[in-house]
Structures are given as C-alpha cells and as structure tokens.
Amino acid sequence: MKLRRREARRARIEIVPMIDVVFFLLVFFMMASLSMAVYAGLPVNLPQAATGQVAASETASVTVDREGHAYLNREPVVTADLDQRVRQLLQGNPALAIVINADGDASHRHVVAVLDALRLAGVSRMAIAVTPTSQAR
C-alpha cells in the first residue's frame, strides 16, 4: 500500500481576530479619553441663549450659585478675594479666559460683583456660560 504525502499547508495570518482586537483597543482609548475631560465648574442651571458658543480650552471657571456664593475652579472663594486669586492665575497664563457660570436664579448683584472683581484683576477675556437654545430641555 502506497501512502500519499500531503502537501504542507501554507501558514496564514487570520485577520478577523486582529481586526476585533484593534477595534476593541480603539473603543477602549476613546472611552478613556472621554473620562479624562476636565470640567472646572460646578453644576448650576445655566440660562439659555441663542448665541452660545463652545468655550476656549485655556479657561478658568468662576461659578456663582443660587445663593450668591462664588467658586473659582470648584474651590469656594470670597468675592473680595477673587481678584487676588485670579491675578495669581493670570501670572501663570496671561491669555487665560475666565468663564462665568452663573445660576439662572442667581441675584444680579452677585454676578456684577464677580464681574467687577475680575475686571479689577485685569482679566481681558471673559465669557458667561449659557445653555444654547437648541440643546435646552
């Protein structure tokens, strides 16, 4: 009896599992980068405006809550000391923009006091955070 020799199978790379692994890594890094986003403000109910825009990346946040308490990058601050604290931030980055997150129910005098303190500190770039009307609930 004569046995036939089988031809040697050529080695090949399975590409489907490799695509699955690459896709999994892509999704993992996308989700990881989303969780690394830094939000410096406190959650408040922002007023709505039709001309709202996305904030610049080099910003600091001043939040005024409903009771009129001020926060600089989530740290409580007295309005009288706000200009000194902001001056320290401006020394590190003179082009720093300040975003004011004022609750929609905050008293106007508290927001004006924060604006006045920021002007005394020498802030030249300010913005007031709003919720764009297209995204409003």
Side-chain angles (χ1 to χ4, degrees):
M1 172 165 135
K2 220 179 198 189
L3 294 175
R4 285 211 267 163
R5 233 180 185 185
R6 291 187 181 171
E7 287 185 31
R9 295 180 86 188
R10 290 185 356 178
R12 64 182 202 178
I13 297 174
E14 293 292 332
I15 196 159
V16 174
M18 187 172 23
I19 291 172
D20 290 343
V21 169
V22 169
F23 182 70
F24 176 75
L25 289 173
L26 176 70
V27 170
F28 173 77
F29 286 116
M30 285 174 49
M31 297 303 289
S33 68
L34 288 176
S35 67
M36 289 183 210
V38 176
Y39 176 66
L42 291 173
V44 291
N45 294 324
L46 297 174
Q48 298 177 3
T51 59
Q53 297 176 350
V54 178
S57 61
E58 294 291 324
T59 62
S61 174
V62 176
T63 304
V64 180
D65 65 6
R66 184 179 299 201
E67 289 80 29
H69 301 114
Y71 301 88
L72 178 61
N73 292 335
R74 292 185 173 231
E75 296 177 13
V77 64
V78 180
T79 308
D81 297 335
L82 183 61
D83 62 340
Q84 295 172 355
R85 300 268 307 269
V86 171
R87 278 189 191 126
Q88 292 173 354
L89 292 175
L90 286 173
Q91 286 176 353
N93 184 3
L96 184 71
I98 305 291
V99 177
I100 301 170
N101 296 307
D103 193 288
D105 296 329
S107 175
H108 182 67
R109 68 184 162 102
H110 296 298
V111 178
V112 170
V114 167
L115 283 169
D116 193 38
L118 293 175
R119 282 195 204 116
L120 287 174
V123 175
S124 60
R125 298 177 61 203
M126 284 187 260
I128 296 178
V130 294
T131 303
T133 54
S134 63
Q135 295 178 359
R137 288 178 254 167

